[in-house]
Amino acid sequence: AGMVYSNQVSVDILSLVPVAENNGPVCEGSVLSLSASTISGATYSWTGPNGFSSTQQNPIVSANATPAMTGEYQVVATVGGIMSPAASTYATVNPAPALATANNDARCNSGSVSISVSNIPSGSTIDWYASSAGGNVLPGGSETSVYSTPFISSSTAYYAETRNTSTGCVSPSRVSVSAIILSTPAPPPVYAATGITQKRIIWNWGTMGATGYRWNNTNNFNTALEKGTHNAHEEVDLNPGTTYTR
């Protein structure tokens, strides 16, 4: 009779179980990746939320992760036809905060302008920048909804970024807020008075495309009369024989 020989192969199943990890928590819009420890001769099979699957040892779930990708990811390793128990890792994708609302502001002539944002999401703060992307937080522009610009002589755009104070996640873009410098208009020329009577004068001035005019008998315009877009002013009950200059 022939001789029958047999060999026994002992496999340590525990040594086949990979260690599963991820790079989270990450912010929305960032890269979410997974990793499994190296096992000699192994192939890998990953599964996860939203039908995710991969046969890579260290797959990238997404280069633009969303909060919907939060959840448990499992991996099994197979060596010589023997499949390990599943290892798991829980990945978290934190949402990016929404943009705030820009509140532009203006001043006449050069100087500092106070600009601000409103409708800031709960749990978030605002950082101010000089550019729409990159760069450093402006001096005095950290964690504040109101920013006082440095001395500027022309209209300038600044950028407000929303940042969640717990997760550190920032808005996907920055909102532009304008600090506007208005030129002081030259005074309109006052034309010769018309309708002169002994006690009544109507003064006229040239329109300059302004949105409104003020009139006062002196240079103190704190108490000036608002004339709207009208370009005439009537004075009555004047003293006959008196010269009036406006």
Side-chain angles (χ1 to χ4, degrees), residues 60-206:
I60 293 177
V61 178
S62 176
N64 186 23
T66 67
M69 296 174 183
T70 294
E72 184 178 57
Y73 293 80
Q74 293 187 330
V75 60
V76 294
T78 301
V79 178
I82 299 175
M83 182 181 295
S84 73
S88 65
T89 180
Y90 193 91
T92 300
V93 181
N94 292 312
L99 289 174
T101 301
N103 298 318
N104 303 329
D105 209 343
R107 63 165 294 149
C108 294
N109 299 320
S110 301
S112 176
V113 182
S114 181
I115 54 178
S116 65
V117 292
S118 55
N119 298 323
I120 302 170
S122 176
S124 296
T125 188
I126 299 295
D127 296 318
W128 293 86
Y129 294 82
S131 58
S132 60
N136 298 318
V137 177
L138 291 167
S142 177
E143 299 188 351
T144 177
S145 62
V146 179
Y147 176 65
S148 295
T149 74
F151 186 96
I152 56 175
S153 56
S154 61
S155 297
T156 304
Y158 294 88
Y159 299 87
E161 182 178 81
T162 310
R163 173 171 53 85
N164 185 285
T165 55
S166 296
T167 64
C169 296
V170 299
S171 52
S173 60
R174 296 170 184 169
V175 63
S176 176
V177 189
S178 295
I180 303 168
I181 300 298
L182 303 172
S183 298
T184 301
V190 177
Y191 296 148
T194 62
I196 299 176
T197 66
Q198 287 186 339
K199 292 188 176 183
R200 173 175 174 269
I201 298 177
I202 300 177
W203 303 91
N204 299 273
W205 55 88

